[in-house]
Amino acid sequence: MIFFLMALLLHIDIVSTAIDSQYCSEKVTIVHIVVCLKQVPDTTEVKIDRKTNTLIREGVPSIANPFDLNAVEAALVLKEKYGATVTVISMGPPQAKEALRRAIAMGADQAILLSDRSFAGADTLATSYTLAQAILKLQDAGGVDLVLCGKQAIDGDTAQVGPGIATRLNLTQLTYVSKIESVDADGKHITVERKLENGVEIVRGNLPALLTVVKEIYKPRYASLPCLIESLAYEPVVWNAKQISADSSQIGLEGSPTWVETIFSPPLREGGVILNPGDENYDKEFSGLIDTVKKIVAEERSKLVCS
Amino acid sequence: MNRIEFDVVVVGAGPAGITAAYLLAKEGLKVALIERGEFPGAKNVMGGQFYSYPMRDIIPEFWEAAPLERAVSEKQLWLLSRESKIGFSYKNPQFGAPPYNAFTVLRAKFDRWYAEKARQAGVVIIPETLVTGIIKKGTQVIGVKTGRENGEIYADVVVAADGVNSLLSKYAGLHGEIESRNVALAVKEIIELPQGVIEDRFQLEKGQGVTIEFMGEFLKGMVGTGFIYTNKTTLSVGIGCLLSDWVDNGVSPYDLIEDLKSHPVVRPLLQKGTVKEYLAHLIPEGGYRSLPPLYTDGMLVTGDAAMLVNGLHQEGSNLAIMSGKFAAETILEARKAGDYSARTLGAYKKKLDESFVIKDLKKYSNAMPLLENNRHFFSTYPRLLSDAADEFIRVDGVPKKKKQRMILKGIFKRRGIIGIIKDALSAWRIVK
C-alpha cells in the first residue's frame, strides 16, 4: 500500500515537473503562431471558363479554405496550451476579410490582409513570396515560432504555397501533419505525426517550423456567440506591397511564371464488376475475371522486367 | 459576462426578415438578424415568381442592382391531357418594362444581395446560427437562445421570420405541428440551357420571361400544379401539390416530375437541357383558414412562418416583404409607446388585415377546402376540354353538328349535368 502511494506521489511529482517545464519554465516555447488562410470559391459550385482556362468566380460563394480552418484550430489549441499569440494572414481582395473574420470569431488574436492590385494574378511562386514577405515583417517585429497552413487550397489543389514559404524563410518544413505530438520544453523542437499514403510518420524537427495540416488534426470549433458578434465588426489590418517591402518583379502576374495550358476534369473511374454467387453465369464470369486479373498482372510484371 | 442586447432580434434572413431588419436599422435601431445558413440565401431553394410590389417601395428601382432572372411578360396556363394540351396565355410587353409586374428569381442569390443592403444599413447579420429557444419573462418574449456557446440574445422584441414550419412559433406555443393538408410540397429541377435557346424556344424578347402553369392528368388527381419558369440560363421545372395528397397517393415526386418532363408537349421545351439541381420545399398554402396567431407579447410572426402565401396567385415572397414592412412599422410605434406587449403589437395584425395580404387570402379562403373536395378541376376538366378540342379540330368526315353532340355527350357522361353545375358553382365561390 505504501509503495503504491509512493509510486503515486512520485508519479504526480513527475507529471507536475513536466507541466512546470511546459508552462512555467524560463525558456519560452511557442510565443507567436502565424496561420496562412485563403479565401476560395466553394468548389462544389465551380465552373471553368473554357476560353481562358481559369475558374469562373462570379456568383460563386466564397468560403475560407477548409484545411486552413483546421490550421487555425490547431493554432488555437497551441494558444490555449502555451499562451501564444495567433496571427492570421491572407493574400486576396478586400472580400477576403470575410474569411479572416471567421478566424477571429474562432479566437485568433489578429488578422492581416495582404491586399494590393499588384498582387493580382499570382501563382504559387508569387503567392508564397508575398506571404513570406509578410511573415518576415512579423518576424522582425518580434519573432514567429510556428507557421501553420492547410495542406492545400481546395480551388487549385497544388499544395505548393506552404512548402514555398518554408523554403523562402528557411523554416523546417513539415507537411501533411495530422497531429502535433509535443513541443520540447526548450522551445527548440516540435514532434508531429505526418499522415502519408502508406502510414503515419512521426518526425521531430527544429523550430521555427512551418506545418501544413490535414483535416484530421482538429475540427474547427463553432465560435461562441459573443466572439462571433465581435468578429463581425473586426477590421483586419491591410498591408500593401510597399508595406511588406515586396519586390515588384516577384509579385502578382509579373512574378508568376506559371501559365495554364489546359484544364479539365479527370475522367470518371469506371465502376467495378459485382458478381453474385447465386447468379446464372457466376462461375463463367468469375473465371473470366480471374483471367483478366492474371493478364494485367503479367503485363505489369513484364514492364518491370523490361525496365 | 455582459448580456448581448439588441433593440430587435429578427430570426431568419429571408425576404420577411431582411425587410423588417433593414427598415428598422434605417431608423437607427440596433438589429440582429440571425440566419441558420452559411449566409442569407444559402438555405433557400425558391426559384419562381417574384412580384415587384412592394419591393419597389422599399428599395426603389431595385431591379437595377438586384440579381433577378427575367422580367415576366407572359403568363400561360396549360391544361394537359395524356398526349395533348390546351393553352391559355396573357402576354403584355409592358410587364417587361419598369416598374415591372414580376420577375423570375433564384432567391438564393436575391436574398444574399438583399441582406447585404441590410448589413450596409447597420444590421448585424449572425450566420450559421440556429435558434434553439425563446427567452421569456412572464408571458413576454425577451430574447432567443441559439445553438452557440453563451448564445442568448436579448431584445425588446423578436421577429419570427424563420419560414414554413417556424420553430419560433412553436417555441412560443403559437402553433403545433403543421397539418399536411395546409402545406404544399413543391419539387423542382433546375435545367440548364443557353440563354439564346431559352429565348428562341419560349419566344421571348431578350431579358423577358414566361411562366407556365400546368394542370391535368399527370397530377393523378392531386391538388396542385406543375410549372416551368424561365430564368436567365436555366428553367425551373417542377410540381407543387398538397403534402397530404402526395402521402395519400403514395406518388413519388421524382416519378411525377419525370412524367411531366416526358409529356409529348413539354418535352420539346426541355430538350438538350442538363439537370443542375434537384430541390424540394414546403410551401404554406393552407390560406386564410390556416393562419396561426401572428403576434404575442414581445414577438411578431412574418412571412412563411405566418403562412402568408397566396397559392392561387403564386404570391409569397412579396407577401413576406409586406409583412416584414408592417412588422417594422409596428415595432417603431411600440418603441414610441414604450410597450411591446401584445396590446401594442396587435397593430401588426390590423395592418395586415387592412392590406391586400389578408384581404386576398380571405377572398380565397374557400378555395383550398373546395379544391381539396373537388379533384375534377385538376384532372377531369383538362381531359374533357382537350377531348372537345380534339373532336372539334380533327377533320375525319364526321359532320360538325354530330361532333358537337358527341362532345356534349362525352362531357355529360364523364361528369354528369349535376356535377358540372356543382363544379361551376364551386368555381364561382372560389373566385368571387
Side-chain angles (χ1 to χ4, degrees), chain A residues 229 232-233, chain B residues 6-8 18 20-33 114-126:
Chain A
I229 291 177
L232 296 171
Chain B
F6 283 85
D7 293 326
V8 183
I18 298 170
Y22 172 70
L23 294 175
L24 289 166
K26 267 186 29 178
E27 294 299 321
L29 271 67
K30 206 176 151 210
V31 185
L33 176 57
Y114 192 18
E116 182 54 28
K117 290 274 157 204
R119 204 188 57 78
Q120 286 163 8
V123 175
V124 175
I125 298 175
I126 302 173

Side-chain angles (χ1 to χ4, degrees), chain B residues 282-422:
Chain B
L282 293 177
I283 305 172
E285 290 198 358
Y288 186 72
R289 289 168 194 232
S290 73
L291 291 181
L294 300 177
Y295 62 95
T296 179
D297 292 320
M299 188 168 112
L300 296 172
V301 188
T302 59
D304 273 9
M307 313 276 285
L308 298 175
V309 168
N310 183 339
L312 282 168
H313 285 258
Q314 286 105 37
E315 289 179 74
S317 303
N318 61 325
L319 305 188
I321 289 170
M322 206 70 202
S323 69
K325 183 173 166 244
F326 288 147
E329 286 173 13
T330 308
I331 288 167
L332 290 172
E333 288 162 17
R335 193 175 162 81
K336 216 175 247 172
D339 174 27
Y340 297 95
S341 71
R343 212 162 48 96
T344 317
L345 296 183
Y348 168 65
K349 168 111 192 342
K350 214 169 149 217
K351 285 173 201 285
L352 278 169
D353 281 342
E354 283 165 7
S355 73
F356 76 99
V357 177
I358 298 288
K359 281 185 177 161
D360 284 359
L361 290 179
K362 217 171 189 169
K363 171 175 163 17
Y364 293 118
S365 61
N366 287 325
M368 269 320 189
L370 282 170
L371 291 173
E372 239 187 291
N373 294 322
N374 189 336
R375 307 301 169 117
H376 301 288
F377 291 110
F378 295 94
S379 308
T380 314
Y381 285 103
R383 173 88 235 171
L384 287 176
L385 274 170
S386 94
D387 283 357
D390 190 86
E391 200 60 62
F392 199 70
I393 290 163
R394 194 184 295 272
V395 174
D396 52 5
V398 179
K400 299 288 182 283
K401 192 130 195 180
K402 190 172 173 199
K403 274 182 183 279
Q404 257 175 7
R405 270 208 310 277
M406 281 163 66
I407 291 169
L408 285 174
K409 225 172 116 187
I411 292 173
F412 291 133
K413 200 175 129 200
R414 280 254 178 66
R415 185 66 186 115
I417 183 93
I418 293 172
I420 290 174
I421 292 169
K422 263 165 67 183

Side-chain angles (χ1 to χ4, degrees), chain A residues 42 45 47 59-63 98 101-102 222-226 228-229 232, chain B residues 1 4 38-39 112 124-129 146-151 153 192:
Chain A
D42 194 341
E45 296 187 39
K47 285 189 224 166
V60 180
S62 293
I63 56 170
E98 217 40 56
R101 283 194 189 104
R102 205 184 171 90
Y222 190 50
S224 77
L225 191 63
L228 175 66
I229 291 177
L232 296 171
Chain B
M1 223 205 63
I4 302 174
E38 221 172 306
F39 48 84
R112 196 172 196 188
V124 175
I125 298 175
I126 302 173
E128 286 178 276
T129 303
T146 69
R148 289 183 184 271
E149 197 185 321
N150 300 323
I153 307 188
E192 193 176 45

Side-chain angles (χ1 to χ4, degrees), chain A residues 33-34 36 135 144-149 165 169 171 209-211:
Chain A
I33 305 169
V34 174
C36 302
I135 295 167
V144 172
D145 305 285
L146 202 57
V147 179
L148 298 180
C149 303
I165 296 168
L169 297 178
L171 303 171
L210 179 140
L211 274 51

